mmCIF file of all heavy atoms in Angstrom:
data_model
loop_
_atom_site.group_PDB
_atom_site.id
_atom_site.type_symbol
_atom_site.label_atom_id
_atom_site.label_comp_id
_atom_site.label_asym_id
_atom_site.label_seq_id
_atom_site.Cartn_x
_atom_site.Cartn_y
_atom_site.Cartn_z
ATOM 1 N N ALA A 1 112.529 87.020 99.166
ATOM 2 C CA ALA A 1 111.390 87.600 98.433
ATOM 3 C C ALA A 1 110.072 87.250 99.189
ATOM 4 O O ALA A 1 109.141 88.101 99.160
ATOM 5 C CB ALA A 1 111.378 86.975 97.023
ATOM 6 N N TRP A 2 109.971 86.103 99.792
ATOM 7 C CA TRP A 2 108.753 85.710 100.582
ATOM 8 C C TRP A 2 108.622 86.690 101.731
ATOM 9 O O TRP A 2 107.517 87.137 102.022
ATOM 10 C CB TRP A 2 108.949 84.296 100.971
ATOM 11 C CG TRP A 2 107.781 83.742 101.803
ATOM 12 C CD1 TRP A 2 106.417 83.792 101.483
ATOM 13 C CD2 TRP A 2 107.873 83.153 103.109
ATOM 14 N NE1 TRP A 2 105.664 83.188 102.513
ATOM 15 C CE2 TRP A 2 106.578 82.788 103.470
ATOM 16 C CE3 TRP A 2 108.898 82.884 103.955
ATOM 17 C CZ2 TRP A 2 106.282 82.161 104.699
ATOM 18 C CZ3 TRP A 2 108.619 82.239 105.158
ATOM 19 C CH2 TRP A 2 107.321 81.921 105.558
ATOM 20 N N ILE A 3 109.701 86.914 102.474
ATOM 21 C CA ILE A 3 109.633 87.807 103.586
ATOM 22 C C ILE A 3 109.283 89.249 103.120
ATOM 23 O O ILE A 3 108.543 89.907 103.795
ATOM 24 C CB ILE A 3 111.042 87.817 104.377
ATOM 25 C CG1 ILE A 3 111.348 86.442 104.955
ATOM 26 C CG2 ILE A 3 110.992 88.843 105.520
ATOM 27 C CD1 ILE A 3 110.410 85.900 105.909
ATOM 28 N N ALA A 4 109.917 89.664 102.039
ATOM 29 C CA ALA A 4 109.672 90.997 101.477
ATOM 30 C C ALA A 4 108.181 91.206 101.193
ATOM 31 O O ALA A 4 107.605 92.255 101.498
ATOM 32 C CB ALA A 4 110.539 91.244 100.270
ATOM 33 N N MET A 5 107.584 90.182 100.592
ATOM 34 C CA MET A 5 106.164 90.334 100.232
ATOM 35 C C MET A 5 105.283 90.420 101.463
ATOM 36 O O MET A 5 104.251 91.070 101.472
ATOM 37 C CB MET A 5 105.700 89.145 99.357
ATOM 38 C CG MET A 5 106.518 89.072 98.008
ATOM 39 S SD MET A 5 106.334 90.490 96.958
ATOM 40 C CE MET A 5 104.945 90.019 95.960
ATOM 41 N N GLN A 6 105.707 89.691 102.486
ATOM 42 C CA GLN A 6 104.871 89.784 103.778
ATOM 43 C C GLN A 6 105.091 91.209 104.380
ATOM 44 O O GLN A 6 104.116 91.724 104.887
ATOM 45 C CB GLN A 6 105.384 88.742 104.776
ATOM 46 C CG GLN A 6 105.054 87.318 104.368
ATOM 47 C CD GLN A 6 105.487 86.290 105.372
ATOM 48 O OE1 GLN A 6 104.992 86.150 106.435
ATOM 49 N NE2 GLN A 6 106.593 85.623 105.010
ATOM 50 N N LEU A 7 106.221 91.737 104.361
ATOM 51 C CA LEU A 7 106.526 93.060 104.876
ATOM 52 C C LEU A 7 105.711 94.098 104.163
ATOM 53 O O LEU A 7 105.076 94.982 104.711
ATOM 54 C CB LEU A 7 108.021 93.428 104.799
ATOM 55 C CG LEU A 7 108.441 94.716 105.461
ATOM 56 C CD1 LEU A 7 108.257 94.602 107.012
ATOM 57 C CD2 LEU A 7 109.908 95.022 105.164
ATOM 58 N N LEU A 8 105.584 93.877 102.841
ATOM 59 C CA LEU A 8 104.792 94.768 101.968
ATOM 60 C C LEU A 8 103.362 94.894 102.490
ATOM 61 O O LEU A 8 102.760 95.969 102.456
ATOM 62 C CB LEU A 8 104.819 94.151 100.556
ATOM 63 C CG LEU A 8 104.108 94.838 99.415
ATOM 64 C CD1 LEU A 8 104.938 96.034 98.966
ATOM 65 C CD2 LEU A 8 104.021 93.816 98.210
ATOM 66 N N MET A 9 102.796 93.762 102.969
ATOM 67 C CA MET A 9 101.419 93.761 103.441
ATOM 68 C C MET A 9 101.265 94.496 104.763
ATOM 69 O O MET A 9 100.159 94.987 105.068
ATOM 70 C CB MET A 9 100.949 92.373 103.637
ATOM 71 C CG MET A 9 100.833 91.519 102.371
ATOM 72 S SD MET A 9 99.656 92.225 101.266
ATOM 73 C CE MET A 9 98.099 92.025 102.202
ATOM 74 N N ARG A 10 102.333 94.675 105.492
ATOM 75 C CA ARG A 10 102.281 95.248 106.867
ATOM 76 C C ARG A 10 102.677 96.747 106.835
ATOM 77 O O ARG A 10 102.476 97.414 107.864
ATOM 78 C CB ARG A 10 103.130 94.457 107.786
ATOM 79 C CG ARG A 10 102.540 93.113 108.123
ATOM 80 C CD ARG A 10 103.552 92.165 108.701
ATOM 81 N NE ARG A 10 102.942 90.915 109.183
ATOM 82 C CZ ARG A 10 102.491 89.948 108.406
ATOM 83 N NH1 ARG A 10 102.640 90.021 107.083
ATOM 84 N NH2 ARG A 10 101.943 88.835 108.932
ATOM 85 N N ARG A 11 103.290 97.173 105.783
ATOM 86 C CA ARG A 11 103.880 98.511 105.795
ATOM 87 C C ARG A 11 103.370 99.316 104.601
ATOM 88 O O ARG A 11 103.942 99.199 103.518
ATOM 89 C CB ARG A 11 105.393 98.474 105.794
ATOM 90 C CG ARG A 11 106.036 97.662 106.926
ATOM 91 C CD ARG A 11 105.710 98.301 108.312
ATOM 92 N NE ARG A 11 106.548 99.474 108.547
ATOM 93 C CZ ARG A 11 107.615 99.425 109.375
ATOM 94 N NH1 ARG A 11 107.977 98.347 109.997
ATOM 95 N NH2 ARG A 11 108.275 100.486 109.546
ATOM 96 N N PRO A 12 102.346 100.146 104.785
ATOM 97 C CA PRO A 12 101.735 100.828 103.720
ATOM 98 C C PRO A 12 102.623 101.820 102.971
ATOM 99 O O PRO A 12 102.338 102.304 101.894
ATOM 100 C CB PRO A 12 100.508 101.543 104.330
ATOM 101 C CG PRO A 12 100.832 101.586 105.797
ATOM 102 C CD PRO A 12 101.661 100.370 106.095
ATOM 103 N N GLU A 13 103.747 102.180 103.687
ATOM 104 C CA GLU A 13 104.657 103.161 103.013
ATOM 105 C C GLU A 13 105.464 102.522 101.878
ATOM 106 O O GLU A 13 106.105 103.241 101.070
ATOM 107 C CB GLU A 13 105.656 103.768 104.037
ATOM 108 C CG GLU A 13 106.601 102.781 104.595
ATOM 109 C CD GLU A 13 106.206 102.132 105.899
ATOM 110 O OE1 GLU A 13 104.974 101.924 106.051
ATOM 111 O OE2 GLU A 13 107.036 101.801 106.793
ATOM 112 N N ILE A 14 105.454 101.218 101.745
ATOM 113 C CA ILE A 14 106.187 100.492 100.697
ATOM 114 C C ILE A 14 105.392 100.688 99.420
ATOM 115 O O ILE A 14 104.258 100.192 99.308
ATOM 116 C CB ILE A 14 106.438 99.052 101.016
ATOM 117 C CG1 ILE A 14 107.341 98.872 102.265
ATOM 118 C CG2 ILE A 14 107.111 98.325 99.831
ATOM 119 C CD1 ILE A 14 107.492 97.481 102.773
ATOM 120 N N ARG A 15 106.007 101.288 98.419
ATOM 121 C CA ARG A 15 105.321 101.603 97.171
ATOM 122 C C ARG A 15 105.845 100.789 95.952
ATOM 123 O O ARG A 15 105.306 100.866 94.870
ATOM 124 C CB ARG A 15 105.490 103.071 96.823
ATOM 125 C CG ARG A 15 104.913 103.990 97.828
ATOM 126 C CD ARG A 15 103.439 103.687 98.265
ATOM 127 N NE ARG A 15 102.529 103.467 97.126
ATOM 128 C CZ ARG A 15 101.626 102.643 97.061
ATOM 129 N NH1 ARG A 15 101.367 101.740 98.068
ATOM 130 N NH2 ARG A 15 100.822 102.506 96.046
ATOM 131 N N GLY A 16 106.898 99.992 96.141
ATOM 132 C CA GLY A 16 107.368 99.171 95.039
ATOM 133 C C GLY A 16 108.107 97.995 95.566
ATOM 134 O O GLY A 16 108.673 97.993 96.667
ATOM 135 N N PHE A 17 108.172 96.870 94.757
ATOM 136 C CA PHE A 17 108.898 95.729 95.167
ATOM 137 C C PHE A 17 109.572 95.037 94.005
ATOM 138 O O PHE A 17 109.129 95.129 92.854
ATOM 139 C CB PHE A 17 108.011 94.732 95.927
ATOM 140 C CG PHE A 17 106.954 94.081 95.064
ATOM 141 C CD1 PHE A 17 107.267 92.912 94.377
ATOM 142 C CD2 PHE A 17 105.665 94.535 94.984
ATOM 143 C CE1 PHE A 17 106.349 92.275 93.540
ATOM 144 C CE2 PHE A 17 104.747 93.920 94.167
ATOM 145 C CZ PHE A 17 105.018 92.812 93.459
ATOM 146 N N ILE A 18 110.648 94.311 94.359
ATOM 147 C CA ILE A 18 111.336 93.495 93.387
ATOM 148 C C ILE A 18 111.457 92.133 94.031
ATOM 149 O O ILE A 18 112.042 92.001 95.113
ATOM 150 C CB ILE A 18 112.714 93.985 93.022
ATOM 151 C CG1 ILE A 18 112.615 95.382 92.266
ATOM 152 C CG2 ILE A 18 113.485 93.029 92.128
ATOM 153 C CD1 ILE A 18 113.890 96.076 92.041
ATOM 154 N N SER A 19 110.878 91.097 93.405
ATOM 155 C CA SER A 19 110.798 89.765 93.946
ATOM 156 C C SER A 19 111.562 88.832 92.993
ATOM 157 O O SER A 19 111.069 88.579 91.908
ATOM 158 C CB SER A 19 109.335 89.349 94.125
ATOM 159 O OG SER A 19 109.195 88.153 94.732
ATOM 160 N N VAL A 20 112.722 88.392 93.364
ATOM 161 C CA VAL A 20 113.538 87.575 92.534
ATOM 162 C C VAL A 20 113.436 86.092 93.013
ATOM 163 O O VAL A 20 113.676 85.768 94.136
ATOM 164 C CB VAL A 20 115.017 87.963 92.584
ATOM 165 C CG1 VAL A 20 115.917 87.000 91.765
ATOM 166 C CG2 VAL A 20 115.214 89.408 92.044
ATOM 167 N N ALA A 21 113.039 85.203 92.037
ATOM 168 C CA ALA A 21 112.864 83.787 92.347
ATOM 169 C C ALA A 21 112.005 83.524 93.600
ATOM 170 O O ALA A 21 112.402 82.819 94.470
ATOM 171 C CB ALA A 21 114.222 83.136 92.471
ATOM 172 N N PRO A 22 110.809 84.112 93.634
ATOM 173 C CA PRO A 22 109.993 83.912 94.830
ATOM 174 C C PRO A 22 109.587 82.443 94.908
ATOM 175 O O PRO A 22 109.146 81.873 93.923
ATOM 176 C CB PRO A 22 108.718 84.808 94.537
ATOM 177 C CG PRO A 22 108.669 84.952 92.995
ATOM 178 C CD PRO A 22 110.097 84.961 92.592
ATOM 179 N N PRO A 23 109.704 81.857 96.050
ATOM 180 C CA PRO A 23 109.454 80.426 96.238
ATOM 181 C C PRO A 23 107.996 80.096 96.332
ATOM 182 O O PRO A 23 107.511 79.613 97.346
ATOM 183 C CB PRO A 23 110.260 80.036 97.486
ATOM 184 C CG PRO A 23 110.292 81.280 98.327
ATOM 185 C CD PRO A 23 110.317 82.448 97.339
ATOM 186 N N ALA A 24 107.279 80.287 95.165
ATOM 187 C CA ALA A 24 105.832 80.192 95.143
ATOM 188 C C ALA A 24 105.342 78.793 95.406
ATOM 189 O O ALA A 24 104.104 78.624 95.741
ATOM 190 C CB ALA A 24 105.311 80.749 93.874
ATOM 191 N N ASN A 25 106.175 77.795 95.238
ATOM 192 C CA ASN A 25 105.800 76.435 95.424
ATOM 193 C C ASN A 25 106.061 75.899 96.822
ATOM 194 O O ASN A 25 105.550 74.854 97.248
ATOM 195 C CB ASN A 25 106.485 75.467 94.427
ATOM 196 C CG ASN A 25 107.964 75.542 94.560
ATOM 197 O OD1 ASN A 25 108.560 76.644 94.841
ATOM 198 N ND2 ASN A 25 108.671 74.412 94.375
ATOM 199 N N MET A 26 106.813 76.666 97.596
ATOM 200 C CA MET A 26 107.314 76.249 98.879
ATOM 201 C C MET A 26 106.511 76.916 100.063
ATOM 202 O O MET A 26 106.387 76.359 101.138
ATOM 203 C CB MET A 26 108.758 76.495 99.113
ATOM 204 C CG MET A 26 109.661 75.785 98.168
ATOM 205 S SD MET A 26 111.372 76.254 98.484
ATOM 206 C CE MET A 26 112.192 75.264 97.291
ATOM 207 N N TYR A 27 106.109 78.126 99.814
ATOM 208 C CA TYR A 27 105.474 78.916 100.845
ATOM 209 C C TYR A 27 104.136 79.375 100.363
ATOM 210 O O TYR A 27 103.946 79.612 99.142
ATOM 211 C CB TYR A 27 106.299 80.148 101.273
ATOM 212 C CG TYR A 27 107.639 79.743 101.854
ATOM 213 C CD1 TYR A 27 108.891 79.779 101.171
ATOM 214 C CD2 TYR A 27 107.727 79.322 103.194
ATOM 215 C CE1 TYR A 27 110.058 79.445 101.741
ATOM 216 C CE2 TYR A 27 108.918 79.002 103.763
ATOM 217 C CZ TYR A 27 110.050 79.074 103.029
ATOM 218 O OH TYR A 27 111.302 78.737 103.572
ATOM 219 N N ASP A 28 103.243 79.701 101.276
ATOM 220 C CA ASP A 28 101.944 80.199 100.992
ATOM 221 C C ASP A 28 102.025 81.666 100.770
ATOM 222 O O ASP A 28 102.420 82.475 101.589
ATOM 223 C CB ASP A 28 100.998 79.879 102.176
ATOM 224 C CG ASP A 28 99.581 80.279 101.911
ATOM 225 O OD1 ASP A 28 99.266 80.775 100.809
ATOM 226 O OD2 ASP A 28 98.746 80.101 102.840
ATOM 227 N N PHE A 29 101.576 82.131 99.532
ATOM 228 C CA PHE A 29 101.550 83.567 99.200
ATOM 229 C C PHE A 29 100.163 84.086 99.212
ATOM 230 O O PHE A 29 99.926 85.228 98.749
ATOM 231 C CB PHE A 29 102.211 83.813 97.839
ATOM 232 C CG PHE A 29 103.747 83.803 97.843
ATOM 233 C CD1 PHE A 29 104.484 82.653 97.885
ATOM 234 C CD2 PHE A 29 104.423 85.010 97.788
ATOM 235 C CE1 PHE A 29 105.798 82.639 97.931
ATOM 236 C CE2 PHE A 29 105.834 85.051 97.777
ATOM 237 C CZ PHE A 29 106.561 83.853 97.891
ATOM 238 N N SER A 30 99.221 83.372 99.784
ATOM 239 C CA SER A 30 97.845 83.799 99.726
ATOM 240 C C SER A 30 97.568 85.021 100.556
ATOM 241 O O SER A 30 96.507 85.672 100.479
ATOM 242 C CB SER A 30 96.875 82.630 100.199
ATOM 243 O OG SER A 30 97.171 82.328 101.567
ATOM 244 N N PHE A 31 98.505 85.422 101.395
ATOM 245 C CA PHE A 31 98.391 86.634 102.190
ATOM 246 C C PHE A 31 98.386 87.882 101.301
ATOM 247 O O PHE A 31 97.962 88.913 101.689
ATOM 248 C CB PHE A 31 99.524 86.749 103.217
ATOM 249 C CG PHE A 31 100.919 86.792 102.623
ATOM 250 C CD1 PHE A 31 101.452 87.915 102.013
ATOM 251 C CD2 PHE A 31 101.682 85.597 102.561
ATOM 252 C CE1 PHE A 31 102.756 87.961 101.452
ATOM 253 C CE2 PHE A 31 102.936 85.572 101.962
ATOM 254 C CZ PHE A 31 103.491 86.740 101.473
ATOM 255 N N LEU A 32 98.776 87.740 100.025
ATOM 256 C CA LEU A 32 98.791 88.864 99.094
ATOM 257 C C LEU A 32 97.351 89.126 98.555
ATOM 258 O O LEU A 32 97.081 88.931 97.375
ATOM 259 C CB LEU A 32 99.744 88.622 97.986
ATOM 260 C CG LEU A 32 101.251 88.666 98.366
ATOM 261 C CD1 LEU A 32 102.113 88.084 97.249
ATOM 262 C CD2 LEU A 32 101.712 90.056 98.721
ATOM 263 N N ALA A 33 96.463 89.475 99.406
ATOM 264 C CA ALA A 33 95.114 89.582 99.074
ATOM 265 C C ALA A 33 94.452 90.867 99.715
ATOM 266 O O ALA A 33 93.976 90.681 100.920
ATOM 267 C CB ALA A 33 94.296 88.338 99.386
ATOM 268 N N PRO A 34 94.422 91.974 99.117
ATOM 269 C CA PRO A 34 95.009 92.211 97.866
ATOM 270 C C PRO A 34 96.477 92.657 98.028
ATOM 271 O O PRO A 34 96.852 93.208 99.082
ATOM 272 C CB PRO A 34 94.215 93.374 97.348
ATOM 273 C CG PRO A 34 93.758 94.110 98.533
ATOM 274 C CD PRO A 34 93.615 93.099 99.650
ATOM 275 N N CYS A 35 97.292 92.508 97.032
ATOM 276 C CA CYS A 35 98.618 93.062 97.022
ATOM 277 C C CYS A 35 98.577 94.580 96.905
ATOM 278 O O CYS A 35 97.955 95.142 95.984
ATOM 279 C CB CYS A 35 99.417 92.494 95.876
ATOM 280 S SG CYS A 35 101.147 93.078 95.730
ATOM 281 N N PRO A 36 99.210 95.272 97.864
ATOM 282 C CA PRO A 36 98.960 96.729 97.935
ATOM 283 C C PRO A 36 99.833 97.573 97.002
ATOM 284 O O PRO A 36 99.609 98.769 96.883
ATOM 285 C CB PRO A 36 99.325 97.022 99.388
ATOM 286 C CG PRO A 36 100.301 96.034 99.802
ATOM 287 C CD PRO A 36 99.952 94.772 99.057
ATOM 288 N N SER A 37 100.846 96.969 96.378
ATOM 289 C CA SER A 37 101.784 97.811 95.657
ATOM 290 C C SER A 37 102.191 97.180 94.349
ATOM 291 O O SER A 37 102.125 95.918 94.205
ATOM 292 C CB SER A 37 103.074 98.067 96.417
ATOM 293 O OG SER A 37 102.850 98.655 97.653
ATOM 294 N N SER A 38 102.572 97.941 93.389
ATOM 295 C CA SER A 38 103.102 97.414 92.103
ATOM 296 C C SER A 38 104.525 96.998 92.226
ATOM 297 O O SER A 38 105.258 97.442 93.126
ATOM 298 C CB SER A 38 102.995 98.540 91.011
ATOM 299 O OG SER A 38 101.609 98.926 90.837
ATOM 300 N N GLY A 39 104.915 96.025 91.394
ATOM 301 C CA GLY A 39 106.212 95.565 91.441
ATOM 302 C C GLY A 39 106.539 94.577 90.312
ATOM 303 O O GLY A 39 105.695 94.362 89.392
ATOM 304 N N ILE A 40 107.708 93.903 90.402
ATOM 305 C CA ILE A 40 108.170 92.973 89.420
ATOM 306 C C ILE A 40 108.568 91.710 90.028
ATOM 307 O O ILE A 40 109.157 91.680 91.189
ATOM 308 C CB ILE A 40 109.271 93.486 88.504
ATOM 309 C CG1 ILE A 40 109.606 92.522 87.344
ATOM 310 C CG2 ILE A 40 110.540 93.845 89.338
ATOM 311 C CD1 ILE A 40 110.518 93.155 86.283
ATOM 312 N N LEU A 41 108.231 90.551 89.436
ATOM 313 C CA LEU A 41 108.711 89.231 89.772
ATOM 314 C C LEU A 41 109.561 88.717 88.731
ATOM 315 O O LEU A 41 109.154 88.736 87.524
ATOM 316 C CB LEU A 41 107.515 88.216 90.052
ATOM 317 C CG LEU A 41 106.608 88.550 91.285
ATOM 318 C CD1 LEU A 41 105.527 89.510 90.891
ATOM 319 C CD2 LEU A 41 105.952 87.272 91.739
#
Protein backbone atom coordinates (compact mmCIF):
# COMPACT_ATOMS: atom_id res chain seq x y z
CA ALA A 1 0.00 0.00 0.00
CA TRP A 2 2.91 2.35 0.78
CA ILE A 3 4.52 1.64 -2.60
CA ALA A 4 1.14 2.00 -4.34
CA MET A 5 0.57 5.44 -2.85
CA GLN A 6 4.02 6.56 -4.01
CA LEU A 7 3.31 5.29 -7.52
CA LEU A 8 0.05 7.24 -7.44
CA MET A 9 2.04 10.46 -7.01
CA ARG A 10 4.22 9.72 -10.04
CA ARG A 11 1.64 8.46 -12.51
CA PRO A 12 -1.18 10.88 -13.32
CA GLU A 13 -3.09 8.20 -15.23
CA ILE A 14 -3.94 6.46 -11.91
CA ARG A 15 -7.49 7.49 -11.06
CA GLY A 16 -8.30 5.27 -8.10
CA PHE A 17 -6.59 3.38 -5.30
CA ILE A 18 -7.27 0.75 -2.66
CA SER A 19 -4.94 0.89 0.32
CA VAL A 20 -5.27 -2.05 2.74
CA ALA A 21 -3.59 -1.75 6.15
CA PRO A 22 -1.32 1.12 5.06
CA PRO A 23 1.67 1.19 7.48
CA ALA A 24 1.11 4.82 8.44
CA ASN A 25 3.15 4.49 11.65
CA MET A 26 6.19 2.90 9.97
CA TYR A 27 6.68 4.94 6.81
CA ASP A 28 6.43 8.60 5.95
CA PHE A 29 3.29 9.31 3.91
CA SER A 30 3.88 13.07 3.76
CA PHE A 31 4.60 12.75 0.03
CA LEU A 32 0.81 12.66 -0.45
CA ALA A 33 0.65 16.43 -0.74
CA PRO A 34 -1.66 16.75 -2.44
CA CYS A 35 -3.03 13.26 -3.03
CA PRO A 36 -4.00 13.30 -6.70
CA SER A 37 -6.75 10.64 -6.75
CA SER A 38 -9.74 9.40 -4.81
CA GLY A 39 -9.61 6.04 -3.09
CA ILE A 40 -10.27 3.96 0.00
CA LEU A 41 -8.13 3.02 2.99
